[in-house]
Amino acid sequence: MSVEKAATDVALSAQGLRLGYGDLTAVWDVDIDVRPGRTTALLGRNGAGKTTLLSGLIGLLTAKSGTVTLHGKDITRLPPWTRVDRGLAIVREGKRIFRTLTVVENITVGMPKKLSRAGRAEALERIWEDFPVLAERRGQLGGQLSGGQQQMLSIATAVVARPTVLLVDEPSSGLSPLAVDQVLEVIDKLKADGLAILLVEQIVEEVLSGYADDVVLIDQGRVMLREPADRVSVDQITAVMFGTGS
Ligand code: ATP
């Protein structure tokens, strides 16, 4: 992507976004941009405000101040379901699948109600292409899948409605290193299809090993670092994250 296109082509943007819980402010005036065909990694240690920021972007939390725009349109006051209708999707932490439904049933549940029978079949075919591991296990119960496969199923249910922006909260959580790689590969493939991705993670090294294009590091609800991924090192990021100096 040309530098010019990268600068102008923003899918999801927050400007001066302030969020919190009652009187507590957990995210302070954060600016963040997510672009089509790119992965922005949102990094930060426990309690930094990453999940709070995602909640504000999807509309589960109301902005105390600031704006959120999706493809240039202000969505700050819209409820989550309207944001989803407009192309925003979220994979929340913790592999939220139906364990007693099959893989295909889990995916079908996430389909937009307005889809025709042919549209549904087409959407499923696309999922099987993007997630061959799930295609092989389409008749298995969600609860019988491995942790990595459950995470892929979570992602599949989020993308079946063909969003343009995908927010993913700590997909590596509780997974083996091999499963983490497989899940990050799937996310990378979705990015290659043109999705704009905001990836929340704590595993700096893996994310920087070619998966992230842009990095935003937050601490105590404030942006501490914002760089293209190829301009920062793991050491630099951990130094800012843990105040260890480099
Ligand atoms: P983790 O990596 O542990 O998930 P995080 O970066 O996602 O952390 P948040 O969960 O966004 O961090 O938490 C940011 C701050 O907001 C923390 O101080 C946390 O204690 C507080 N917080 C989070 N959820 C709530 C809530 N429901 N009510 C009150 N305070 C909350």
Side-chain angles (χ1 to χ4, degrees), residues 55 60 90-96 151 154 167-169:
S55 300
L60 290 167
I90 189 165
V91 179
R92 295 171 73 193
E93 198 182 348
K95 308 182 215 67
R96 294 170 192 232
Q151 187 59 269
S154 266
L167 316 176
V168 195
D169 198 355

Side-chain angles (χ1 to χ4, degrees), residues 157-176:
T157 59
V159 299
V160 72
R162 306 273 281 162
T164 50
V165 181
L166 181 66
L167 316 176
V168 195
D169 198 355
E170 296 206 30
S172 70
S173 180
L175 299 187
S176 69

Side-chain angles (χ1 to χ4, degrees), residues 28-242:
W28 294 89
D29 310 339
V30 163
D31 295 347
I32 194 164
D33 289 333
V34 189
R35 298 187 159 83
R38 290 179 79 82
T39 293
T40 299
L42 178 61
L43 304 173
R45 56 184 167 172
N46 282 327
K50 305 181 296 296
T51 301
T52 304
L53 181 52
L54 284 200
S55 300
L57 293 172
I58 195 74
L60 290 167
L61 277 177
T62 308
K64 287 174 181 272
S65 56
T67 55
V68 182
T69 56
L70 183 63
H71 302 297
K73 298 230 166 64
D74 192 331
I75 59 164
T76 316
R77 299 288 146 205
L78 295 183
W81 54 90
T82 312
R83 298 185 195 204
V84 169
D85 274 352
R86 293 195 181 186
L88 199 51
I90 189 165
V91 179
R92 295 171 73 193
E93 198 182 348
K95 308 182 215 67
R96 294 170 192 232
I97 58 157
F98 296 105
R99 299 175 61 84
T100 55
L101 296 184
T102 63
V103 167
V104 68
E105 286 166 346
N106 265 281
I107 293 167
T108 312
V109 165
M111 283 184 185
K113 300 288 166 280
K114 57 182 183 231
L115 267 190
S116 65
R117 186 186 282 256
R120 284 172 174 262
E122 201 185 304
L124 261 183
E125 273 318 306
R126 240 183 345 248
I127 291 293
W128 301 147
E129 271 170 37
D130 282 339
F131 301 84
V133 169
L134 298 180
E136 288 164 20
R137 293 166 177 77
R138 62 186 85 182
Q140 273 184 31
L141 295 181
Q144 291 172 338
L145 300 178
S146 70
Q149 291 159 359
Q150 289 186 14
Q151 187 59 269
M152 286 189 210
L153 183 54
S154 266
I155 297 169
T157 59
V159 299
V160 72
R162 306 273 281 162
T164 50
V165 181
L166 181 66
L167 316 176
V168 195
D169 198 355
E170 296 206 30
S172 70
S173 180
L175 299 187
S176 69
L178 179 64
V180 169
D181 277 342
Q182 288 167 344
V183 168
L184 291 177
E185 281 298 325
V186 161
I187 294 173
D188 219 40
K189 207 156 84 178
L190 296 169
K191 172 181 97 173
D193 289 344
L195 213 56
I197 293 173
L198 181 60
L199 174 65
V200 165
E201 268 302 349
Q202 292 197 47
I203 48 163
V204 177
E205 202 159 345
E206 288 80 353
V207 166
L208 279 190
S209 69
Y211 292 110
D213 300 291
D214 303 294
V215 172
V216 175
L217 172 62
I218 60 171
D219 197 46
Q220 295 183 39
R222 289 187 161 88
V223 174
M224 307 302 284
L225 179 147
R226 180 197 314 277
E227 287 287 349
D230 55 9
R231 287 205 210 137
V232 281
S233 67
V234 176
D235 284 352
Q236 245 176 307
I237 290 187
T238 43
V240 178
M241 253 167 117
F242 300 106

